[in-house]
């Protein structure tokens, strides 16, 4: 039953029988048979069928909620038993928005020092995708914004308040200033994160509050790409101060505080709310709380 529920979750995620079967490492007939057996066992149709996958039935949507809960609880039970036998070990899957990538080692390094048998994989993506990955049990935790847009049913640990600055090469307009207004920043050639990023939506909102409509001449989904273009002297960017500091190069780059307005936005660690958490997620949340108490510059 657990395997069939795992298959069903994969099908709902991929919305395609062949892709779901490939992800699971099984044949498409095996996947189709498992879904039909699950339907027979529950006595309801779960999938709207035609010549191809056409979505879930209302009953299928409800079963999907239960499947996520049951599979999540099963994984928690297995992890608890493994931890009881061998101590904390296993693999943690993290997803992070680009502006939080610089703080990831502040969590992973002390965590792995305490638990050397735990490994990590880390991907960079949007805040919306992080929530989807959590819901579909594809990641264990995420680093994202804790405000502005709905998070759903998650446990969160606030880690940092982002404060924004104009990041520009020395010798360019505003580089020798202590502060610059959002309206003034809108007059320079900008490179910014892509529009699907929450950071970009936040920046657009603050420019709008200053009465400015900005069209960047370059967009990217990577802070490293943005910073590399800033270093050429042909572009400036808007970044959280802690992110800009993490790149170094203080002799080449100026970080000018943005004012009028002077907003800050909270980022932190999120995990799907569950009682109990898996031992790995519980330890990760603990490490995040330790970091929050110390503070991040």
């Amino acid at each position: 039953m657990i395997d069939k529920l795992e298959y069903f979750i994969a099908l709902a995620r991929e919305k395609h029988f062949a892709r779901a079967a490939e992800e699971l490492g099984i044949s498409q007939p095996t996947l189709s048979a498992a879904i039909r057996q699950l339907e027979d066992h529950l006595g309801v149709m779960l999938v709207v069928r035609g010549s191809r996958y056409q979505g879930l039935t209302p009953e299928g949507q409800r079963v999907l909620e239960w499947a996520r809960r049951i599979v999540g609880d099963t994984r928690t039970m297995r992890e608890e038993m493994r931890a009881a036998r061998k101590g904390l070990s296993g693999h943690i899957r993290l997803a992070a928005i680009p502006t939080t990538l610089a703080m990831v080692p502040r969590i992973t390094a002390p965590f792995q020092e305490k638990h050397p048998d735990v490994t990590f994989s880390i991907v960079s993506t949007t805040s919306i995708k992080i929530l989807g990955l959590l819901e579909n049990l594809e990641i264990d935790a995420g680093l994202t914004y804790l405000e502005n847009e709905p998070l759903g049913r998650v446990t969160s640990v606030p880690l940092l308040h982002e404060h924004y600055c104009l990041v520009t090469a020395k010798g360019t307009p505003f580089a020798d200033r202590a502060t610059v207004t959002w309206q003034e920043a809108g007059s320079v050639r900008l490179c910014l994160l892509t529009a699907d990023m929450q950071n970009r939506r936040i920046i657009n909102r603050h420019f709008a509050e200053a009465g400015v409509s900005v069209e960047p001449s370059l967009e990217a989904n990577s802070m490293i790409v943005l910073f590399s273009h800033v270093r050429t002297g042909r572009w400036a960017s808007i970044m959280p101060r802690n992110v800009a500091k993490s790149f170094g190069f203080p002799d080449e780059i100026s970080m000018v505080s943005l004012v009028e307005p002077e907003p800050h936005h909270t980022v932190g660690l999120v995990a799907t709310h569950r009682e109990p958490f898996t031992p790995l997620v519980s330890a990760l949340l603990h490490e995040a709380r330790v970091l929050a108490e110390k503070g991040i510059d």
Side-chain angles (χ1 to χ4, degrees):
M1 176 62 74
I2 298 299
D3 287 344
K4 292 180 178 64
L5 293 176
E6 295 251 23
Y7 294 174
F8 182 57
I9 291 171
L11 177 61
R13 179 171 62 245
E14 295 297 327
K15 298 178 172 60
H16 192 279
F17 274 92
R19 287 199 300 268
E22 182 178 2
E23 179 197 321
L24 292 164
I26 61 176
S27 69
Q28 186 172 334
T30 298
L31 174 60
S32 297
I35 298 301
R36 289 195 182 279
Q37 290 167 11
L38 185 60
E39 289 176 326
D40 291 342
H41 184 80
L42 297 174
V44 294
M45 293 293 293
L46 302 177
V47 180
V48 180
R49 287 182 176 81
S51 57
R52 63 184 65 185
Y53 175 90
Q54 296 180 10
L56 301 182
T57 65
E59 294 82 2
Q61 291 287 354
R62 184 63 180 142
V63 169
L64 179 60
E65 295 175 17
W66 277 104
R68 288 168 173 161
R69 188 182 311 175
I70 293 167
V71 170
D73 286 346
T74 301
R75 291 179 181 178
T76 301
M77 178 182 65
R78 287 171 178 163
E79 277 196 26
E80 281 195 6
M81 296 306 99
R82 185 174 66 236
R85 295 194 315 271
K86 302 179 180 179
L88 203 61
S89 63
H91 186 74
I92 294 178
R93 303 159 299 168
L94 277 177
I97 57 173
T99 60
T100 65
L101 289 172
M103 76 169 68
V104 172
R106 302 284 296 273
I107 298 175
T108 54
F111 185 99
Q112 203 161 53
E113 187 174 344
K114 296 173 185 173
H115 310 291
D117 293 329
V118 176
T119 58
F120 287 88
S121 59
I122 301 159
V123 296
S124 175
T125 188
T126 68
S127 58
I128 291 174
K129 287 184 178 178
I130 286 174
L131 298 180
L133 292 170
L134 281 173
E135 186 178 48
N136 285 320
L137 307 178
E138 294 178 89
I139 59 172
D140 301 295
L143 284 158
T144 187
Y145 289 100
L146 302 186
E147 50 196 24
N148 304 304
E149 297 177 358
L151 287 176
R153 193 168 179 266
V154 299
T155 294
S156 61
V157 180
L159 293 174
L160 174 73
H161 296 300
E162 287 188 343
H163 295 272
Y164 295 95
C165 59
L166 179 71
V167 184
T168 188
K170 294 288 178 69
T172 57
F174 308 122
D176 59 348
R177 298 260 297 267
T179 63
V180 60
T181 67
W182 284 84
Q183 188 174 51
E184 290 173 322
S187 67
V188 301
R189 178 186 291 180
L190 290 171
C191 56
L192 299 173
L193 287 175
T194 51
D196 59 335
M197 297 288 179
Q198 189 175 164
N199 172 266
R200 174 65 182 282
R201 294 193 290 274
I202 289 170
I203 287 172
N204 286 349
R205 186 169 76 243
H206 294 315
F207 271 124
E209 291 168 358
V212 181
S213 178
V214 171
E215 290 294 335
S217 62
L218 185 145
E219 297 178 321
N221 63 0
S222 163
M223 301 301 290
I224 293 176
V225 171
L226 297 184
F227 192 80
S228 298
H229 282 81
V230 169
R231 290 185 66 202
T232 68
R234 294 182 59 82
W235 286 269
S237 189
I238 309 293
M239 295 184 184
R241 181 172 289 275
N242 68 296
V243 174
K245 285 172 61 178
S246 72
F247 290 111
F249 305 104
D251 296 332
E252 301 176 35
I253 301 296
S254 292
M255 295 177 289
V256 186
S257 296
L258 279 159
V259 296
E260 300 179 26
E262 297 181 58
H264 65 80
H265 298 276
T266 306
V267 295
L269 185 77
V270 296
T272 301
H273 183 74
R274 182 179 300 282
E275 290 294 343
F277 289 106
T278 68
L280 287 175
V281 171
S282 180
L284 188 70
L285 289 168
H286 172 75
E287 201 62 50
R289 294 185 182 105
V290 170
L291 178 60
E293 291 175 4
K294 293 179 179 177
I296 302 177
D297 297 328

